[in-house]
C-alpha cells in the first residue's frame, strides 16, 4: 500500500496545482472582460513638429535567416516614420552565406536614404540577449523597437506605439502577435490558438490590473533608459525577454499592452521547429522562476495579489509537469480505484477537479469568440478546436516537462533558434529548409511508447472492476493517445 499511497499523493498534488492555475486563468478572464468596457485615450506626439518627434532605433536580431531576411528588410524599410528620426540596426550573428547577402541588401537600403547598419560579432556570447546588448551600446534612439526575423509590422506601427511613451512611467509598449500562416495546417492552427489565449486573456488580464506582464521578445518597444535602469540584457536564461521584463517592473516601470495593434508573424510549420521553440520558452520560464522567485516575494513595491499572479506567470511552463504527472499516473489510479473500495469517496471528491477543464473551456471560448465571432456554428467549431488543442498540448507534455525540469535544476543549454520558412500556403514546401535538424531524439521514441501506454489505458477501461468496466478516464486517455500519437508521427515525418 506504500506505492499506492505515493501515487495517490503525487497525483493529488498535481491535480490541485492544475486547479489553482485554472482559478488564476478564471480571474484573468474577469479582468479581461472588465478591460473591454474601458476606453483609454492616449496622448500623441505632434509628428508635424520635428522637435517633438522622438528618435527611434529599430533592432533586428537575426541568425541564419536565409528564407526571410529579404522580406524582413524590405518590410522594415516601409515604416512610416521620419527618416532623420529613425535608425535601423541589423544585429547579425549569422554563420552562413546570409552574412554577405544581408550586407548587400543593407547597402542598397542605405543608398535609398535609410540610416541602417549591419552589425556583426566575432562570437555569439549571450546569444540574442548579447546581440541586443551590443547594439544598445551604440544605439542613437531614445526608444528601442525590436523585431524578430519573421515579423512584419505595418507601416503605421511606430506611430501607433511611440505616443504611449508620453507617459514617463511607461518602460515598454508590447503589441499583439498576428499569424500570417494561421490556417496552413493543424499544427499552425493549434499554435495560433495557444498564442491567441496568451495575447488576449493573459496579457490584457494582467496588464489591466497592473500585474506583471512580459515583453514577448519582439513586436514591442523599450524606453532605452528602462533597459539600462533594469540592468540591461542578460543571457543567463533562454527567455531574456521575460527576465528583463520582471527586473524592469520590479523597478516600478510600467508596461503597456496594445491588443488592438497587431504585428503579423510566421508560425513554425514543421513540428521539429515548434518543438525547439516550445523547449526554449518552457525551459526559459522555469529558469526565470528560479531567478526571480525571491525578488518577487521580497519586493516591497508590489501588492500581494500581483506577487501571486507574478509567481503563477513564472510557473506557467511548470503546469506541463503537472499535466504529464497526472497523465502518467492516471492509469495506475484507475486500477487503484477499482482495487480499494474504501477509497471510493476520495475518487468521488477528485472528480470535482474536472472543473479545471470546464474553466479552461470557458476562458478560451471568450478568446476564440473575440477573434472568430460568436454563434452556434462558431461554438461547435470551437469545441472541436479546444479538444484538439488540449490533446496535442498534452502530447507535448513530455517534451516540455523535460525542458521545465532542466530549467528548475539549472542545467544550461545553448539558445536554439526557431527555423523560419517564409511559407504561407500548402503549395510551398518546407522539406528543403537547410536549417532543419534531421536527427531523431530519444524523446520522440518515448512519445511513441507513451502513445502505446495510453492505448493500454483505453483497453483498461473495459477490463477493470466488476461492473463491466470503468470509463470515467476513457475520454482523458483517448485525448492522450491522440496527442502523443500526433506528436510522435509528425516528429517522424519531419525527419524524412
Amino acid at each position: 500500500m506504500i506505492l499506492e499511497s505515493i501515487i495517490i499523493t503525487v497525483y493529488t498534488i498535481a491535480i490541485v496545482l492544475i486547479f489553482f492555475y485554472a482559478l488564476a486563468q478564471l480571474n484573468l478572464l474577469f479582468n479581461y472582460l472588465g478591460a473591454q468596457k474601458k476606453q483609454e485615450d492616449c496622448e500623441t506626439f505632434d509628428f508635424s513638429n520635428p522637435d517633438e518627434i522622438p528618435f527611434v532605433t529599430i533592432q533586428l536580431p537575426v541568425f541564419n535567416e536565409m528564407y526571410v531576411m529579404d522580406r524582413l528588410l524590405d518590410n522594415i524599410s516601409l515604416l512610416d516614420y521620419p527618416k532623420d528620426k529613425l535608425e535601423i540596426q541589423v544585429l547579425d550573428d549569422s554563420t552562413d552565406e546570409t552574412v554577405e547577402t544581408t550586407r548587400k541588401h543593407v547597402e542598397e537600403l542605405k543608398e535609398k536614404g535609410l540610416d541602417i547598419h549591419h552589425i556583426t560579432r566575432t562570437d555569439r556570447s549571450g546569444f540574442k540577449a548579447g546581440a541586443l546588448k551590443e547594439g544598445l551600446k551604440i544605439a542613437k534612439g531614445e526608444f528601442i523597437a525590436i523585431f524578430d526575423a519573421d515579423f512584419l509590422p505595418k507601416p503605421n506601427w511606430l506611430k501607433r506605439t511611440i505616443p504611449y511613451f508620453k507617459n514617463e512611467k511607461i518602460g515598454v509598449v508590447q503589441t499583439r502577435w498576428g499569424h500570417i500562416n494561421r490556417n496552413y495546417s493543424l499544427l499552425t492552427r493549434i499554435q495560433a490558438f495557444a498564442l491567441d489565449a496568451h495575447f488576449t486573456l493573459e496579457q490584457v488580464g494582467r496588464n489591466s490590473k497592473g500585474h506583471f506582464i512580459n515583453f514577448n521578445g519582439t513586436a514591442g518597444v523599450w524606453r532605452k533608459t528602462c533597459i539600462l535602469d533594469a540592468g540591461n540584457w542578460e543571457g543567463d536564461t533562454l527567455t531574456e525577454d521575460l527576465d528583463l521584463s520582471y527586473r524592469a517592473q520590479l523597478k516600478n516601470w510600467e508596461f503597456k499592452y496594445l491588443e488592438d495593434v497587431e504585428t503579423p508573424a510566421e508560425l513554425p510549420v514543421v513540428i521539429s521547429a515548434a518543438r525547439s521553440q516550445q523547449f526554449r520558452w518552457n525551459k526559459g520560464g522555469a529558469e526565470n522562476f528560479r531567478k526571480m522567485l525571491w525578488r518577487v516575494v521580497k519586493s516591497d513595491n508590489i501588492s500581494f495579489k500581483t506577487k501571486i499572479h507574478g509567481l503563477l506567470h513564472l510557473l506557467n511552463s511548470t503546469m506541463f509537469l503537472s499535466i504529464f504527472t497526472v497523465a502518467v499516473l492516471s492509469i495506475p489510479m484507475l486500477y487503484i480505484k477499482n482495487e480499494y473500495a474504501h477509497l471510493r469517496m476520495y475518487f468521488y471528491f477528485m472528480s470535482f477537479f474536472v472543473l479545471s477543464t470546464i474553466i479552461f473551456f470557458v476562458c478560451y471560448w471568450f478568446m476564440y469568440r473575440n477573434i472568430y465571432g460568436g454563434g452556434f456554428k462558431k461554438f461547435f467549431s470551437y469545441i472541436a478546436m479546444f479538444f484538439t488543442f488540449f490533446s496535442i498540448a498534452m502530447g507535448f507534455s513530455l517534451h516540455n516537462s523535460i525542458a521545465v525540469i532542466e530549467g528548475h535544476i539549472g542545467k544550461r543549454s545553448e539558445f536554439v533558434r526557431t527555423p523560419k520558412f517564409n511559407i504561407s500556403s500548402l503549395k510551398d514546401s518546407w522539406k528543403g529548409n537547410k536549417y532543419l535538424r534531421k536527427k531523431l531524439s530519444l524523446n520522440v521514441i518515448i512519445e511513441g511508447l507513451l502513445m502505446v501506454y495510453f492505448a493500454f489505458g483505453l483497453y483498461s477501461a473495459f477490463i477493470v472492476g466488476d461492473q463491466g468496466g470503468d470509463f470515467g478516464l476513457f475520454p482523458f486517455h483517448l485525448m492522450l493517445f491522440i496527442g502523443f500519437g500526433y506528436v510522435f508521427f509528425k516528429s517522424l515525418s519531419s525527419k524524412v
Side-chain angles (χ1 to χ4, degrees):
M1 188 64 185
I2 295 176
L3 178 60
E4 289 88 339
S5 297
I6 293 173
I7 291 173
I8 291 172
T9 301
V10 174
Y11 183 85
T12 303
I13 291 171
I15 284 283
V16 170
L17 288 175
I18 293 171
F19 180 66
F20 280 129
Y21 180 71
L23 289 179
Q25 293 292 105
L26 185 61
N27 181 252
L28 291 178
L29 172 63
F30 292 144
N31 294 349
Y32 176 77
L33 295 176
Q36 302 309 298
K37 301 173 184 176
K38 299 176 182 176
Q39 295 292 329
E40 290 187 40
D41 293 324
C42 171
E43 290 187 70
T44 187
F45 292 99
D46 181 2
F47 285 101
S48 65
N49 181 0
D51 295 330
E52 189 175 343
I53 301 173
F55 203 113
V56 175
T57 295
I58 296 176
Q59 292 188 321
L60 308 175
V62 299
F63 176 73
N64 295 350
E65 306 288 4
M66 173 186 291
Y67 302 98
V68 295
M69 200 65 220
D70 287 340
R71 183 182 71 180
L72 169 70
L73 292 174
D74 288 339
N75 185 80
I76 291 297
S77 69
L78 298 177
L79 284 173
D80 180 19
Y81 202 80
K83 295 294 186 287
D84 61 335
K85 297 286 187 174
L86 183 65
E87 170 193 42
I88 302 170
Q89 293 182 334
V90 183
L91 306 175
D92 193 354
D93 276 358
S94 299
T95 56
D96 64 2
E97 64 270 30
T98 58
V99 175
E100 183 59 23
T101 56
T102 298
R103 183 190 64 78
K104 290 179 180 178
H105 200 150
V106 167
E107 289 300 321
E108 291 173 3
L109 293 176
K110 189 176 292 187
E111 289 174 3
K112 294 179 180 179
L114 278 182
D115 183 8
I116 184 168
H117 309 278
H118 186 218
I119 301 170
T120 59
R121 299 191 295 166
T122 55
D123 66 86
R124 288 184 69 212
S125 59
F127 304 107
K128 181 180 176 181
L132 294 171
K133 188 174 183 178
E134 192 73 20
L136 195 68
K137 293 178 182 177
I138 55 174
K140 294 181 285 187
E142 180 183 351
F143 303 107
I144 312 294
I146 300 171
F147 299 102
D148 283 348
D150 54 328
F151 278 75
L152 302 170
K154 296 172 184 175
N156 66 347
W157 194 91
L158 287 173
K159 288 185 175 179
R160 294 190 69 185
T161 54
I162 295 298
Y164 286 90
F165 289 103
K166 273 277 193 176
N167 181 347
E168 294 293 332
K169 296 179 181 179
I170 298 291
V172 171
V173 172
Q174 173 68 53
T175 65
R176 177 172 59 87
W177 294 6
H179 316 293
I180 58 178
N181 59 340
R182 173 193 296 272
N183 295 315
Y184 176 79
S185 67
L186 177 61
L187 179 64
T188 57
R189 286 194 291 273
I190 291 301
Q191 292 175 87
F193 186 91
L195 287 169
D196 288 340
H198 169 69
F199 280 101
T200 54
L201 182 70
E202 294 185 354
Q203 289 287 66
V204 176
R206 293 190 183 103
N207 194 222
S208 64
K209 294 297 184 180
H211 303 320
F212 285 10
I213 65 169
N214 60 297
F215 167 66
N216 293 104
T218 176
V221 191
W222 284 81
R223 189 187 296 271
K224 186 177 181 180
T225 52
C226 173
I227 297 176
L228 297 175
D229 182 52
N232 215 325
W233 297 102
E234 295 178 357
D236 57 346
T237 73
L238 293 179
T239 45
E240 73 296 321
D241 44 10
L242 180 60
D243 171 31
L244 186 58
S245 296
Y246 266 67
R247 286 188 278 121
Q249 287 167 109
L250 285 169
K251 284 259 188 173
N252 287 333
W253 287 97
E254 296 179 5
F255 282 32
K256 180 64 181 177
Y257 175 67
L258 305 180
E259 185 185 14
D260 61 333
V261 180
E262 180 187 58
T263 310
E266 178 185 308
L267 293 161
V269 297
V270 180
I271 199 166
S272 58
R275 289 172 75 102
S276 66
Q277 187 179 72
Q278 286 284 310
F279 194 90
R280 188 175 71 248
W281 287 352
N282 285 287
K283 182 171 181 176
E287 288 174 331
N288 274 290
F289 178 77
R290 291 179 71 245
K291 184 173 181 177
M292 294 296 164
L293 171 61
W294 294 114
R295 300 191 202 186
V296 172
V297 170
K298 294 178 180 178
S299 175
D300 296 326
N301 301 330
I302 54 179
S303 68
F304 177 75
K305 192 170 183 179
T306 294
K307 289 181 181 181
I308 295 298
H309 271 287
L311 294 178
L312 289 171
H313 183 195
L314 293 169
L315 283 171
N316 262 359
S317 61
T318 304
M319 284 302 105
F320 277 105
L321 188 56
S322 296
I323 292 167
F324 183 69
T325 299
V326 169
V328 170
L329 295 183
S330 62
I331 295 177
M333 288 292 287
L334 180 64
Y335 283 88
I336 291 172
K337 174 185 176 183
N338 287 277
E339 182 70 22
Y340 300 100
H342 66 283
L343 294 177
R344 289 297 173 115
M345 286 305 298
Y346 162 81
F347 284 99
Y348 286 137
F349 174 74
M350 290 304 291
S351 65
F352 164 77
F353 287 99
V354 75
L355 185 59
S356 297
T357 304
I358 296 173
I359 290 173
F360 288 126
F361 182 86
V362 172
C363 289
Y364 290 172
W365 162 243
F366 282 94
M367 171 274 295
Y368 190 89
R369 188 181 67 177
N370 185 49
I371 294 171
Y372 295 98
F376 281 110
K377 187 176 180 180
K378 293 293 184 182
F379 183 70
F380 285 114
S381 297
Y382 167 72
I383 292 173
M385 177 56 69
F386 176 82
F387 286 105
T388 303
F389 161 73
F390 249 53
S391 297
I392 296 176
M394 289 190 292
F396 272 100
S397 62
L398 168 68
H399 177 76
N400 291 345
S401 292
I402 293 171
V404 167
I405 292 170
E406 287 190 6
H408 281 305
I409 66 176
K411 181 180 177 181
R412 300 302 300 275
S413 58
E414 72 173 45
F415 186 103
V416 178
R417 63 180 289 281
T418 304
K420 315 298 191 307
F421 298 86
N422 198 359
I423 287 178
S424 57
S425 71
L426 289 172
K427 294 184 295 183
D428 303 321
S429 174
W430 51 263
K431 293 198 173 183
N433 190 297
K434 62 179 287 186
Y435 302 123
L436 286 177
R437 296 185 172 189
K438 296 295 184 179
K439 185 178 179 181
L440 190 68
S441 73
L442 177 62
N443 292 355
V444 175
I445 304 301
I446 298 174
E447 286 161 351
L449 294 174
L450 285 166
M451 176 189 68
V452 176
Y453 177 69
F454 292 114
F456 172 73
L458 294 173
Y459 166 74
S460 297
F462 293 91
I463 63 172
V464 297
D466 302 322
Q467 306 298 320
D470 184 340
F471 295 91
L473 287 173
F474 190 87
F476 183 50
H477 289 152
L478 178 61
M479 292 170 66
L480 286 163
F481 172 74
I482 293 171
F484 277 102
Y486 176 86
V487 171
F488 172 64
F489 286 111
K490 271 289 183 180
S491 297
L492 285 182
S493 67
S494 71
K495 303 300 178 184
V496 298

